Amino acid sequence: MMKLSDKKATLSFSDGSAPIEFPVYSGTIGPDVIDIRKLYSQSGMFTYDPGFLATASCESSITFIDGDKGQLLYRGYPIDQIAKNCDFLDVAYLILNGELPNPAQKTEFDSLITHHSMVHEQLHFFLRGFRRDAHPMAVLTGLVGALSAFYHDSTDITNPRHREISAIRLIAKMPTLVAMAYKYSLGQPFIHPQNDLSYTGNFVRMMFATPCEDYKVNDVVERALDRIFILHADHEQNASTSTVRLCGSSGTNPFAAIAAGVACLWGPAHGGANEACLQMLEHLQANGGVAKVGEFMEKVKDKNSGVRLMGFGHRVYKNYDPRAKLMQETCKEVLSALGLEKDPLFKLAMELERIALEDKYFVDRKLYPNVDFYSGIVQRAIGIPPSLFTAVFALARTVGWIAQWNEMLSDPDYKIGRPRQLYMGSAVRNVPAKH
Ligand code: ACO
């Protein structure tokens, strides 16, 4: 629970109206917040903060980011310790429940997720309504939204048990849906989940196996994807998570709220950056490669060109994204295990990174590589097509979305999200008599 600080904030006005005092609350770590909830009733004014640059929209105990230090904590644990010591379902349990599972809890949770991974046969028909060349994020937005039509037994959002069942269903079924979207785009048969495999191993098999032969999951590929899932599991109040909270705040069902999160994640400024980053590298490679990097960087720095260095910069991190370091490590491991060390795109990425980290433009603006800079190269090496990268991100982020949604609904003070505006349209006017 946030605690009232000894400090108070006072807002004074230049027109002589009486100053207003606001309470200040402190969290466990991180900046204090000024509680402005009474501002409108006391002053008749709103705050103005498009893009939420200085607004805390909720109280949360799940994830903490210190953007200046480049620190990321899940439930207090540093991301590098988590990535090195846990698997994705440990992380899912931690994010949902607040503590790492003991061995008995882990066995029970893994089994629960494993036994909810099949999807209703009707969903196959739903999927078949899409064009084969549909973007996987369009398919996923539709499929996740459609889940709400299948689980009328668990959509009472005021019932904590229902919320728990929905969380399990979503986390368990997401890999199946993503793999189905991929298989559908190829025209290959869907591969059903197999219960003796790990969460990530099962996803790899559903993606790459065919019914024609046995399939052995490659350990390096499984470990790399598991790390991608861990690093993307939650990230505080980012755009898609805030979307899930805002959508869920109206009391809608969890499948609809998560579908809204998937739709938001799709954009290139957010989850779509991994796909956009790989497209950028491929475009550069096809147009001169490393020799043309300098020229490309000049375009990136020119505001009029509209070109951004994808995979660089972050709203919160003004230091190296700690996930990017871990992803770089995985990238090296995967390329070496798969014999792709000389991969030209990886070389190109390293060269872009080297220049950007030394260039005054990037240094002055504190622009560092983010996790997507490397995750695209890893996924491509594994055999995942760029159009599916963001769907893989959505699969992992489902854990964070559903945990944040559940946390919001468990908070007795939660209210429907309803921002206000500064109106700049016409003042009142009359419709002309005849027009
Ligand atoms: N390339 C070139 N210049 C950049 C970049 C970039 N990737 N990112 C920011 N800048 C510049 C801006 O032009 C601006 O310069 P100015 O101060 O001279 O006007 C300054 O740095 C600040 O940028 P903003 O856009 O104001 O920062 P904001 O916090 O709003 O944006 C964002 C963050 C959207 C991530 C941005 O850095 C970006 O577009 N990056 C590329 C896309 C990307 O990789 N997104 C992934 C985000 S991480 C994730 O979702 C997992």
Side-chain angles (χ1 to χ4, degrees):
M1 282 296 273
M2 54 187 191
K3 42 175 219 305
L4 201 55
S5 148
D6 298 338
K7 256 186 296 183
K8 283 205 177 347
T10 308
L11 179 65
S12 56
F13 301 90
S14 56
D15 65 357
S17 8
I20 308 176
E21 217 168 62
F22 298 102
V24 173
Y25 290 100
S26 303
T28 327
I29 35 178
D32 292 348
V33 297
I34 303 169
D35 179 354
I36 53 150
R37 280 176 289 183
K38 299 243 157 59
L39 174 68
Y40 180 61
S41 62
Q42 294 189 359
S43 71
M45 278 188 235
F46 298 131
T47 54
Y48 180 66
D49 185 18
F52 306 113
L53 293 168
T55 297
S57 62
C58 63
E59 178 189 330
S60 181
S61 311
I62 301 175
T63 294
F64 175 77
I65 303 172
D66 184 326
D68 294 322
K69 276 196 207 152
Q71 181 185 51
L72 168 62
L73 311 176
Y74 289 164
R75 300 282 190 183
Y77 296 116
I79 190 66
D80 55 325
Q81 291 181 29
I82 299 240
K84 286 174 182 150
N85 297 297
C86 302
D87 71 17
F88 178 66
L89 287 189
D90 289 325
V91 174
Y93 187 97
L94 172 71
I95 287 178
L96 288 173
N97 300 301
E99 295 298 334
L100 283 165
N102 64 30
Q105 289 165 332
K106 166 82 170 148
T107 307
E108 193 193 337
F109 185 70
D110 284 11
S111 161
L112 202 58
I113 296 284
T114 303
H115 289 92
H116 282 84
S117 50
M118 265 197 322
V119 297
H120 196 291
E121 273 303 289
Q122 271 319 105
L123 262 176
H124 294 196
F125 296 105
F126 187 86
L127 176 55
R128 286 184 209 285
F130 282 97
R131 289 167 54 129
R132 295 264 174 193
D133 62 356
H135 193 284
M137 288 301 277
V139 174
L140 203 59
T141 311
L143 290 183
V144 175
L147 286 178
S148 39
F150 290 82
Y151 299 113
H152 297 296
D153 61 336
S154 63
T155 49
D156 175 5
I157 60 154
T158 61
N159 182 334
R161 178 73 191 129
H162 278 203
R163 298 205 296 268
E164 199 184 320
I165 296 170
S166 300
I168 298 293
R169 281 182 170 148
L170 272 158
I171 295 167
K173 292 181 201 309
M174 215 57 177
T176 315
L177 296 180
V178 174
M180 276 168 59
Y182 178 53
K183 287 299 194 190
Y184 184 70
S185 73
L186 297 178
Q188 288 185 4
F190 303 133
I191 301 294
H192 289 293
Q194 188 174 302
N195 289 354
D196 61 351
L197 294 175
S198 71
Y199 183 84
T200 307
N202 186 39
F203 175 63
V204 173
R205 184 175 167 278
M206 288 191 291
M207 286 282 295
F208 300 118
T210 67
C212 318
E213 55 192 16
D214 287 341
Y215 182 84
K216 166 107 179 59
V217 177
N218 178 320
D219 288 349
V220 175
V221 169
E222 181 177 345
R223 213 171 31 251
L225 259 178
D226 204 67
R227 180 165 279 191
I228 289 181
F229 292 169
I230 291 172
L231 299 184
H232 288 85
D234 193 49
H235 212 226
E236 206 231 58
Q237 307 310 320
N238 56 85
S240 57
T241 302
S242 298
T243 300
V244 169
R245 280 186 178 257
L246 188 58
C247 182
S249 76
S250 72
T252 192
N253 73 77
F255 305 102
I258 302 298
V262 176
C264 176
L265 190 74
W266 192 357
H270 190 11
N274 49 18
E275 181 182 349
C277 181
L278 204 88
Q279 280 166 352
M280 172 191 82
L281 292 174
E282 281 174 343
H283 178 78
L284 246 176
Q285 184 58 25
N287 290 281
V290 174
K292 292 281 179 185
V293 164
E295 210 174 283
F296 175 71
M297 289 304 246
E298 287 313 308
K299 257 197 225 152
V300 165
K301 291 189 278 180
D302 174 8
K303 284 275 144 54
N304 301 320
S305 73
V307 178
R308 282 202 166 192
L309 182 56
M310 299 313 286
F312 258 72
H314 197 276
R315 169 60 62 80
V316 181
Y317 293 120
K318 301 302 167 197
N319 199 328
Y320 220 101
D321 177 342
R323 302 168 302 169
K325 281 191 190 141
L326 292 157
M327 196 43 72
Q328 189 195 44
E329 200 180 285
T330 299
C331 191
K332 286 185 180 151
E333 191 193 357
V334 167
L335 294 179
S336 134
L338 302 180
L340 298 168
E341 299 99 324
K342 297 206 166 65
D343 179 62
L345 287 202
F346 184 59
K347 278 196 170 162
L348 197 55
M350 296 300 287
E351 183 60 6
L352 282 171
E353 185 189 29
R354 189 189 64 75
I355 296 182
L357 291 178
E358 288 169 0
D359 193 294
K360 190 171 165 6
Y361 174 95
F362 291 88
V363 174
D364 286 354
R365 289 169 180 75
K366 299 188 176 160
L367 299 169
Y368 291 86
N370 58 50
V371 63
D372 289 327
F373 193 65
Y374 291 104
S375 74
I377 301 173
V378 174
Q379 292 193 60
R380 175 175 164 273
I382 287 173
I384 298 176
S387 61
L388 211 74
F389 290 178
T390 315
V392 170
F393 186 165
L395 181 175
R397 183 56 58 84
T398 297
V399 170
W401 288 332
I402 199 74
Q404 299 264 358
W405 168 83
N406 194 25
E407 183 181 65
M408 175 183 74
L409 293 178
S410 312
D411 180 348
D413 285 342
Y414 109 85
K415 286 190 168 15
I416 185 168
R418 178 48 169 102
R420 301 304 300 267
Q421 63 173 9
L422 178 65
Y423 177 67
M424 297 296 289
S426 301
V428 180
R429 52 185 174 159
N430 296 319
V431 176
K434 189 76 193 156
H435 73 106

